[in-house]
Amino acid sequence: MDPKLYLKIGDQPEIEANSITQSLKFLSADENPSIANSYQENTGQDGSDFNVATFNRNIVNANFWLHFKDWQSYKLAKHEIYRKLMTKETIRMRTDVEMGKVMFVRAGNFEVKPVMDNANDAVFTIPFDNPSGYKYSLYPSNQFYKYSVAAWQYGMNLPIPTDNLKYHFTNLTNLYVYNASDITIDPYYQKHDLKIIMKRYGNQHFGLVNNTTGTSWNYHGSLELNDTLILDGINTYKNGITDNLNTDYGYLTLAPGWNNISVTGVQDLDILFSFPFIYLA
C-alpha cells in the first residue's frame, strides 16, 4: 500500500498530500529528535561540567515524486504545490503509519524541478521545520475513549489493558493519572500544555499534590455551583478570569507513566486533566 501524508493547513480541513495536484505522489517522511547538551568550562579544571539538556527544533524531510505530460502541466503543478505548502500558517502533519501522532510544522525552502532536461518527472524533498521538536497525540488525554479507534495506536506508550486510564474524577482524594508521553509534562520550564479543570461548591481551601513529582498547587478562594476553575499551565482562571491571587502560584508536572495525585482539604472535587501526550519520535 502506498504511503500517505495528511496535512491540515491552518484552520482548513485536513487533506491528503497527493491531492494537492494531479500526479503528485508522496514517497516518505522521516525525522530525528535533536538534543543540545550545555556544559560549563572551568579555568584550570580538566573537562566540562554538565549544565542542562534541551530538545531542539528538528527537520521533517518529506519526499515526493511528480509526473507531468509536458512543460505546461509541470508549471501548473509546480504552482499548485508552492501555493498550498509555501504558507505562513502552521501545518499539522501526520502519516498513515502514525495516525495518532501529529507534528506542527512549517515548510522551509525547497525546489521542484525535472530530474534532467526534457524529463517528465521531478523528485524533490520538502524540509518542514518542527519548532517544538516534538510529536503530539492527535487528541488530548481526556478524549482517549471518545476517539480510541481513530486516534490511538501502538508505539504511544499506552498500558495494556487501557481500562484503568481515567482523566475525569469526582469525589476522590487519591487520583492516578497516566502520562503516556516520552517526557515529563512541565508547564513552567517547558511551556507544555496542561489544563486541570475543577468544579465544587463552597469556600473551603483545597489543593493538589503530585506525590510522584513533588509539585503542588493550592487555592484559597470560594466557588459557587456554576463556577469553573481552571489551572491552565501555571495560571489559574475562574470563569475565564485570571485568579492567581487566590493561589500559592504553584503548578503541577506529570512524570511519564502513572502519577499519584492527592486532593487536599476537600472530598467533593470534580476534576478533569486535559493534555496532549508528547513524543520524541
Side-chain angles (χ1 to χ4, degrees):
M1 186 173 64
D2 291 337
K4 298 183 184 301
L5 178 67
Y6 299 94
L7 305 172
K8 179 176 171 57
I9 303 171
D11 295 328
Q12 301 175 35
E14 184 179 66
I15 62 170
E16 187 182 337
N18 290 355
S19 68
I20 290 174
T21 189
Q22 188 175 5
S23 299
L24 177 67
K25 185 176 182 180
F26 167 68
L27 301 176
S28 64
D30 202 8
E31 79 292 326
N32 293 294
S34 174
I35 193 169
N37 297 312
S38 175
Y39 299 91
Q40 180 177 327
E41 312 296 333
N42 298 306
T43 303
Q45 176 182 316
D46 294 339
S48 304
D49 293 330
F50 175 74
N51 188 9
V52 67
T54 56
F55 292 108
N56 288 343
R57 70 180 180 91
N58 61 356
I59 304 296
V60 185
N61 289 307
N63 303 305
F64 296 88
W65 168 49
L66 175 68
H67 179 72
F68 44 89
K69 300 184 301 184
D70 49 36
W71 185 252
Q72 289 80 7
S73 60
Y74 159 70
K75 294 294 286 184
L76 289 172
K78 180 179 178 180
H79 172 253
E80 284 300 309
I81 293 169
Y82 278 110
R83 184 178 72 88
K84 201 70 175 178
L85 297 180
M86 191 63 76
T87 173
K88 295 182 180 180
E89 295 188 271
T90 299
I91 301 173
R92 191 190 75 183
M93 170 190 290
R94 59 177 178 152
T95 68
D96 61 324
V97 177
E98 295 181 312
M99 292 292 286
K101 294 181 180 180
V102 299
M103 292 175 284
F104 295 93
V105 301
R106 295 178 183 274
N109 294 322
F110 62 96
E111 185 178 45
V112 180
K113 67 176 183 179
V115 293
M116 63 179 65
D117 290 343
N118 300 317
N120 294 99
D121 298 282
V123 178
F124 60 97
T125 298
I126 302 178
F128 289 94
D129 292 325
N130 180 16
S132 71
Y134 300 141
K135 291 181 179 179
Y136 299 91
S137 57
L138 178 60
Y139 296 106
S141 57
N142 58 300
Q143 296 185 22
F144 175 81
Y145 287 107
K146 183 178 180 181
Y147 297 101
S148 58
V149 175
W152 311 102
Q153 61 183 52
Y154 290 108
M156 295 185 74
N157 306 331
L158 297 173
I160 298 175
T162 60
D163 298 347
N164 292 328
L165 293 186
K166 295 181 181 179
Y167 297 94
H168 186 198
F169 307 87
T170 55
N171 303 331
L172 295 176
T173 58
N174 199 37
L175 320 176
Y176 286 90
V177 176
Y178 190 82
N179 174 19
S181 305
D182 291 337
I183 61 175
T184 295
I185 300 293
D186 187 338
Y188 181 67
Y189 287 104
Q190 303 303 332
K191 306 295 189 294
H192 295 154
D193 290 337
L194 173 59
K195 290 184 176 65
I196 303 175
I197 303 165
M198 295 162 281
K199 293 184 178 182
R200 70 173 303 272
Y201 174 73
N203 57 7
Q204 188 174 355
H205 300 171
F206 65 93
L208 304 173
V209 178
N210 188 337
N211 302 297
T212 303
T213 64
T215 53
S216 63
W217 166 89
N218 289 283
Y219 186 70
H220 309 301
S222 61
L223 296 174
E224 300 296 329
L225 282 175
N226 294 324
D227 289 340
T228 298
L229 193 68
I230 300 178
L231 175 57
D232 187 353
I234 62 173
N235 291 304
T236 300
Y237 299 89
K238 178 181 176 181
N239 301 327
I241 300 173
T242 304
D243 199 20
N244 288 328
L245 290 177
N246 277 317
T247 75
D248 64 349
Y249 294 94
Y251 67 99
L252 295 190
T253 62
L254 297 176
W258 289 105
N259 289 258
N260 175 218
I261 298 175
S262 298
V263 177
T264 61
V266 298
Q267 297 182 344
D268 60 347
L269 190 66
D270 183 303
I271 181 169
L272 182 146
F273 292 81
S274 179
F275 60 97
F277 301 146
I278 299 176
Y279 302 96
L280 300 179

